[in-house]
Each structure stands twice: as structure tokens, then as C-alpha cells.
Amino acid sequence: MVEGAPRGTVTLVSAATGAVLRELVGERPGQHFGEVVTGLDDLDGDGIADLAVGAPGNPAGAGGPGRGEVRILSGRTGATLHRLEAAADGELYGRMVATLDDLDGDGLRDLAIGAPWATVDGAPRAGRVEIRSSKSLALLAEIRGPLADAWLGWHITRAAHGLLVSAPRAEHGLGALEMHVLSDRPLGG
Ligand SMILES: [Ca+2]
Ligand SMILES: [Ca+2]
């Protein structure tokens, strides 16, 4: 805990020995750094796998969830390699991150990011999911929730050539799970 709201931490632990290798700490109180984390391939070529960490909370501390972000960190040094930011305040960007197959054919598995409270075409909290190249960060695809208050992108997991996405408030609160097959060929490249 550092001055007020907690910042969150992510701890890298050796799977072989259980030893703590590194502790990563959020930058600002209340941003919920480490709410979700996913392992990526070696993006910077140093021989050690890297990772993506969601921080969907409000860095400004202005009340309510603000402009979340996802940081891509070096697994070796903990340094921030890239930073992806929400398109708008309040969309809970980075509430979910998931590693997908290599969809753009660059040899590195790619990344999905959920923003389940995103407003889509005027529909509040419809939710959206970005599919990005883990290396170039190019937006390969976007899945947009069709209905207000569906919370699409609350949870995401890999499927062959695509992903499974939950929308836990869709269908009048019953919840729904969508499977998206994006391509059996490389996207965007
Ligand atoms: Ca690396
Ligand atoms: Ca890729």
C-alpha cells in the first residue's frame, strides 16, 4: 500500500524453484495494475518471454473507473516495452487480457484486450474487444458488443484461430458466450 488506494503488484515466480524473481508495481494508486495478466512470447528478442498486464482502474482517481491501460512488460527486466491506452474514460480497458494464436503470421502469439464497459454506437456498457499484434501493436480486429449493458469482453480466452468472449449481462442478464474465428490465414500482413 502506497499513499491511499493500492497500486497493485505482479510477482514473477520461478516455476522451477518457486523463488520470487521480480515484483512489478503499479504506477498510480487506484489503477488496479495486475487485475489480470497474461504471458506472451519473447517480443524484444532477449530470450525471455514477456507479459501483458491489465490496469483497468482510474489513474486519475477522479471517482469510478477511468481510462484503463495495458502495459507490455519485459519478462527479464520488468521494463515497460509498450503501453496501450483506452479509447475513452470509463470503458474498463484492460479488465481482461488474453494471449491468442499468432494471427498476423509474425511468429509471435497475439493479444486480445477487453473493454467491457465501452460505449458502442451510443449503447453504454455494450463492451468491445481489441485484437492486436503483440509485436507491432497493430489493431488486427475489433469485436463490438451489439447491445447496451452486455459487458462484452469481461472474459476472453483463446480458441483456434480466434477467441471465446463472454458478455455476462447480455440476453437480458442471462449472459452469453461468443466464439469468433478470425482467420485461418494471417491477418493484417
Ligand atoms: Ca523478452
Ligand atoms: Ca503475431
Side-chain angles (χ1 to χ4, degrees):
M1 184 86 110
V2 185
E3 54 186 48
R7 296 170 189 226
T9 63
V10 169
T11 306
L12 302 183
V13 178
S14 166
T17 66
V20 173
L21 302 176
R22 181 173 301 280
E23 185 176 74
L24 308 170
V25 180
E27 295 171 334
R28 292 180 291 273
Q31 69 175 166
H32 297 187
F33 176 80
E35 181 155 317
V36 65
V37 57
T38 190
L40 297 171
D41 293 325
D42 177 19
L43 304 176
D44 58 0
D46 65 2
I48 303 294
D50 301 313
L51 67 156
V53 180
N58 181 4
R67 189 162 297 207
E69 66 176 23
V70 172
R71 284 164 63 197
I72 296 175
L73 303 175
S74 165
R76 188 174 67 84
T77 66
T80 298
L81 302 176
H82 301 290
R83 189 185 300 270
L84 294 161
E85 295 185 341
D89 285 348
E91 63 173 16
L92 220 60
Y93 184 84
R95 136 68 215 176
M96 185 68 211
V97 293
T99 304
L100 306 179
D101 289 343
D102 174 20
L103 297 169
D104 62 356
D106 65 0
L108 299 166
R109 292 175 299 158
D110 295 313
L111 179 66
I113 301 164
W117 287 1
T119 296
V120 176
D121 298 330
R125 298 192 177 183
R128 65 184 186 90
V129 174
E130 293 181 353
I131 292 103
R132 288 189 178 270
S133 170
S134 61
K135 178 71 173 176
S136 73
L137 307 180
L139 185 66
L140 303 176
E142 186 182 39
I143 300 166
R144 296 160 66 85
L147 298 169
D149 209 34
W151 297 20
L152 182 129
W154 187 259
H155 197 85
I156 303 165
T157 193
R158 173 203 161 274
H161 304 298
L163 64 164
L164 286 164
V165 179
S166 76
R169 296 292 193 92
E171 306 297 335
H172 307 287
L174 297 176
L177 191 61
E178 299 181 2
M179 182 168 173
H180 292 262
V181 175
L182 296 170
S183 177
D184 59 2
R185 300 177 188 182
L187 295 170

mmCIF file with all atom_site columns, all heavy atoms in Angstrom, residues 42-50 74-75, ligand 1:
data_model
loop_
_atom_site.group_PDB
_atom_site.id
_atom_site.type_symbol
_atom_site.label_atom_id
_atom_site.label_alt_id
_atom_site.label_comp_id
_atom_site.label_asym_id
_atom_site.label_entity_id
_atom_site.label_seq_id
_atom_site.pdbx_PDB_ins_code
_atom_site.Cartn_x
_atom_site.Cartn_y
_atom_site.Cartn_z
_atom_site.occupancy
_atom_site.B_iso_or_equiv
_atom_site.pdbx_formal_charge
_atom_site.auth_seq_id
_atom_site.auth_comp_id
_atom_site.auth_asym_id
_atom_site.auth_atom_id
_atom_site.pdbx_PDB_model_num
ATOM   1  N  N   . ASP A 1 42 ? 8.497  -13.977 -26.563 1.00 0.00 ? 42 ASP A N   1
ATOM   2  C  CA  . ASP A 1 42 ? 9.629  -13.050 -26.374 1.00 0.00 ? 42 ASP A CA  1
ATOM   3  C  C   . ASP A 1 42 ? 9.562  -11.952 -27.428 1.00 0.00 ? 42 ASP A C   1
ATOM   4  O  O   . ASP A 1 42 ? 9.997  -12.131 -28.561 1.00 0.00 ? 42 ASP A O   1
ATOM   5  C  CB  . ASP A 1 42 ? 10.936 -13.832 -26.479 1.00 0.00 ? 42 ASP A CB  1
ATOM   6  C  CG  . ASP A 1 42 ? 12.139 -12.933 -26.363 1.00 0.00 ? 42 ASP A CG  1
ATOM   7  O  OD1 . ASP A 1 42 ? 12.016 -11.792 -25.864 1.00 0.00 ? 42 ASP A OD1 1
ATOM   8  O  OD2 . ASP A 1 42 ? 13.231 -13.383 -26.787 1.00 0.00 ? 42 ASP A OD2 1
ATOM   9  N  N   . LEU A 1 43 ? 9.017  -10.805 -27.055 1.00 0.00 ? 43 LEU A N   1
ATOM   10 C  CA  . LEU A 1 43 ? 8.760  -9.744  -28.032 1.00 0.00 ? 43 LEU A CA  1
ATOM   11 C  C   . LEU A 1 43 ? 10.004 -8.917  -28.341 1.00 0.00 ? 43 LEU A C   1
ATOM   12 O  O   . LEU A 1 43 ? 10.144 -8.379  -29.431 1.00 0.00 ? 43 LEU A O   1
ATOM   13 C  CB  . LEU A 1 43 ? 7.663  -8.811  -27.509 1.00 0.00 ? 43 LEU A CB  1
ATOM   14 C  CG  . LEU A 1 43 ? 6.342  -9.498  -27.144 1.00 0.00 ? 43 LEU A CG  1
ATOM   15 C  CD1 . LEU A 1 43 ? 5.376  -8.488  -26.559 1.00 0.00 ? 43 LEU A CD1 1
ATOM   16 C  CD2 . LEU A 1 43 ? 5.736  -10.188 -28.351 1.00 0.00 ? 43 LEU A CD2 1
ATOM   17 N  N   . ASP A 1 44 ? 10.904 -8.781  -27.385 1.00 0.00 ? 44 ASP A N   1
ATOM   18 C  CA  . ASP A 1 44 ? 12.072 -7.918  -27.593 1.00 0.00 ? 44 ASP A CA  1
ATOM   19 C  C   . ASP A 1 44 ? 13.339 -8.712  -27.893 1.00 0.00 ? 44 ASP A C   1
ATOM   20 O  O   . ASP A 1 44 ? 14.427 -8.145  -27.980 1.00 0.00 ? 44 ASP A O   1
ATOM   21 C  CB  . ASP A 1 44 ? 12.287 -6.977  -26.402 1.00 0.00 ? 44 ASP A CB  1
ATOM   22 C  CG  . ASP A 1 44 ? 12.469 -7.724  -25.088 1.00 0.00 ? 44 ASP A CG  1
ATOM   23 O  OD1 . ASP A 1 44 ? 12.423 -8.975  -25.097 1.00 0.00 ? 44 ASP A OD1 1
ATOM   24 O  OD2 . ASP A 1 44 ? 12.651 -7.050  -24.054 1.00 0.00 ? 44 ASP A OD2 1
ATOM   25 N  N   . GLY A 1 45 ? 13.178 -10.024 -28.070 1.00 0.00 ? 45 GLY A N   1
ATOM   26 C  CA  . GLY A 1 45 ? 14.288 -10.827 -28.563 1.00 0.00 ? 45 GLY A CA  1
ATOM   27 C  C   . GLY A 1 45 ? 15.426 -11.044 -27.588 1.00 0.00 ? 45 GLY A C   1
ATOM   28 O  O   . GLY A 1 45 ? 16.550 -11.337 -27.997 1.00 0.00 ? 45 GLY A O   1
ATOM   29 N  N   . ASP A 1 46 ? 15.167 -10.913 -26.286 1.00 0.00 ? 46 ASP A N   1
ATOM   30 C  CA  . ASP A 1 46 ? 16.242 -11.122 -25.313 1.00 0.00 ? 46 ASP A CA  1
ATOM   31 C  C   . ASP A 1 46 ? 16.257 -12.540 -24.759 1.00 0.00 ? 46 ASP A C   1
ATOM   32 O  O   . ASP A 1 46 ? 17.012 -12.843 -23.832 1.00 0.00 ? 46 ASP A O   1
ATOM   33 C  CB  . ASP A 1 46 ? 16.156 -10.090 -24.178 1.00 0.00 ? 46 ASP A CB  1
ATOM   34 C  CG  . ASP A 1 46 ? 14.893 -10.234 -23.341 1.00 0.00 ? 46 ASP A CG  1
ATOM   35 O  OD1 . ASP A 1 46 ? 14.093 -11.151 -23.607 1.00 0.00 ? 46 ASP A OD1 1
ATOM   36 O  OD2 . ASP A 1 46 ? 14.717 -9.413  -22.425 1.00 0.00 ? 46 ASP A OD2 1
ATOM   37 N  N   . GLY A 1 47 ? 15.417 -13.391 -25.326 1.00 0.00 ? 47 GLY A N   1
ATOM   38 C  CA  . GLY A 1 47 ? 15.439 -14.791 -24.935 1.00 0.00 ? 47 GLY A CA  1
ATOM   39 C  C   . GLY A 1 47 ? 14.513 -15.150 -23.790 1.00 0.00 ? 47 GLY A C   1
ATOM   40 O  O   . GLY A 1 47 ? 14.398 -16.324 -23.430 1.00 0.00 ? 47 GLY A O   1
ATOM   41 N  N   . ILE A 1 48 ? 13.859 -14.153 -23.194 1.00 0.00 ? 48 ILE A N   1
ATOM   42 C  CA  . ILE A 1 48 ? 12.957 -14.386 -22.064 1.00 0.00 ? 48 ILE A CA  1
ATOM   43 C  C   . ILE A 1 48 ? 11.548 -13.944 -22.460 1.00 0.00 ? 48 ILE A C   1
ATOM   44 O  O   . ILE A 1 48 ? 11.361 -12.845 -23.008 1.00 0.00 ? 48 ILE A O   1
ATOM   45 C  CB  . ILE A 1 48 ? 13.420 -13.573 -20.823 1.00 0.00 ? 48 ILE A CB  1
ATOM   46 C  CG1 . ILE A 1 48 ? 14.871 -13.918 -20.448 1.00 0.00 ? 48 ILE A CG1 1
ATOM   47 C  CG2 . ILE A 1 48 ? 12.466 -13.807 -19.643 1.00 0.00 ? 48 ILE A CG2 1
ATOM   48 C  CD1 . ILE A 1 48 ? 15.084 -15.324 -19.961 1.00 0.00 ? 48 ILE A CD1 1
ATOM   49 N  N   . ALA A 1 49 ? 10.571 -14.787 -22.164 1.00 0.00 ? 49 ALA A N   1
ATOM   50 C  CA  . ALA A 1 49 ? 9.186  -14.464 -22.506 1.00 0.00 ? 49 ALA A CA  1
ATOM   51 C  C   . ALA A 1 49 ? 8.732  -13.193 -21.793 1.00 0.00 ? 49 ALA A C   1
ATOM   52 O  O   . ALA A 1 49 ? 9.130  -12.921 -20.652 1.00 0.00 ? 49 ALA A O   1
ATOM   53 C  CB  . ALA A 1 49 ? 8.285  -15.628 -22.130 1.00 0.00 ? 49 ALA A CB  1
ATOM   54 N  N   . ASP A 1 50 ? 7.902  -12.434 -22.458 1.00 0.00 ? 50 ASP A N   1
ATOM   55 C  CA  . ASP A 1 50 ? 7.407  -11.169 -21.910 1.00 0.00 ? 50 ASP A CA  1
ATOM   56 C  C   . ASP A 1 50 ? 5.943  -11.325 -21.469 1.00 0.00 ? 50 ASP A C   1
ATOM   57 O  O   . ASP A 1 50 ? 5.405  -12.428 -21.526 1.00 0.00 ? 50 ASP A O   1
ATOM   58 C  CB  . ASP A 1 50 ? 7.635  -10.066 -22.947 1.00 0.00 ? 50 ASP A CB  1
ATOM   59 C  CG  . ASP A 1 50 ? 9.123  -9.952  -23.268 1.00 0.00 ? 50 ASP A CG  1
ATOM   60 O  OD1 . ASP A 1 50 ? 9.926  -9.923  -22.308 1.00 0.00 ? 50 ASP A OD1 1
ATOM   61 O  OD2 . ASP A 1 50 ? 9.491  -9.961  -24.449 1.00 0.00 ? 50 ASP A OD2 1
ATOM   62 N  N   . SER A 1 74 ? 8.758  -6.315  -20.137 1.00 0.00 ? 74 SER A N   1
ATOM   63 C  CA  . SER A 1 74 ? 9.853  -7.258  -20.316 1.00 0.00 ? 74 SER A CA  1
ATOM   64 C  C   . SER A 1 74 ? 9.841  -8.270  -19.179 1.00 0.00 ? 74 SER A C   1
ATOM   65 O  O   . SER A 1 74 ? 9.838  -7.900  -18.005 1.00 0.00 ? 74 SER A O   1
ATOM   66 C  CB  . SER A 1 74 ? 11.184 -6.501  -20.309 1.00 0.00 ? 74 SER A CB  1
ATOM   67 O  OG  . SER A 1 74 ? 12.251 -7.420  -20.134 1.00 0.00 ? 74 SER A OG  1
ATOM   68 N  N   . GLY A 1 75 ? 9.847  -9.541  -19.536 1.00 0.00 ? 75 GLY A N   1
ATOM   69 C  CA  . GLY A 1 75 ? 9.924  -10.567 -18.509 1.00 0.00 ? 75 GLY A CA  1
ATOM   70 C  C   . GLY A 1 75 ? 11.291 -10.628 -17.848 1.00 0.00 ? 75 GLY A C   1
ATOM   71 O  O   . GLY A 1 75 ? 11.439 -11.154 -16.746 1.00 0.00 ? 75 GLY A O   1
HETATM 72 CA CA  . CA  B 2 .  ? 11.775 -10.702 -23.760 1.00 0.00 ? 1  CA  B CA  1
#
